[in-house]
Amino acid sequence: MTAPGPSPGAGSGSTGPSGKGNYPPPNVPPVRQAPPPSAHGREETPTTEARPPTHWPLSIVVFVLFWFLFGAIAMYYSSQVTTRWRFGDVVGAKQASKSALIINLIGIGVGTLFWLLVIATGS
């Protein structure tokens, strides 16, 4: 009969989270993970066309000087130009660029009218 106590080799190796046995188990290869997918789960697609303008500077000017709401909306569409272009959505990038420009022009018009009314009423 053998005496109770630790089994042979029980003290060799580190213990795992449960405090029992070898950690990591011997002869187990490391787990290889696939790289994360690109944003939106789509791969970037190169194109030969020129990227449409983002209208960032105009959006910032409209935001600061004319009418902040139109400027903020235009900045959103300006950012969408680059994002959509990067993922190969050429039509979407052109549409976002056009939307940013139109919203900027509306913001300039509304802001100009607002400031003219402020100046005219003397408030």
Side-chain angles (χ1 to χ4, degrees):
M1 203 162 158
T2 61
S7 61
S12 64
S14 61
T15 58
S18 64
K20 299 178 184 174
N22 290 338
Y23 190 77
N27 301 325
V28 176
V31 176
R32 303 275 186 226
Q33 294 181 349
S38 61
H40 305 293
R42 294 179 277 172
E43 296 297 321
E44 295 183 12
T45 310
T47 71
T48 56
E49 294 183 50
R51 186 181 77 183
T54 59
H55 304 292
W56 265 110
L58 184 59
S59 299
I60 293 169
V61 168
V62 169
F63 181 82
V64 172
L65 298 179
F66 291 98
W67 202 265
F68 73 92
L69 181 62
F70 288 106
I73 295 169
M75 280 193 267
Y76 168 76
Y77 282 108
S78 295
S79 71
Q80 289 297 306
V81 173
T82 304
T83 303
R84 291 176 183 194
W85 181 262
R86 191 175 293 149
F87 292 105
D89 186 5
V90 177
V91 174
K94 288 180 179 180
Q95 183 62 38
S97 176
K98 184 178 177 181
S99 297
L101 179 63
I102 290 171
I103 292 169
N104 278 322
L105 294 176
I106 291 171
I108 290 171
V110 170
T112 302
L113 287 175
F114 172 77
W115 287 114
L116 287 174
L117 287 173
V118 168
I119 292 170
T121 58
S123 347

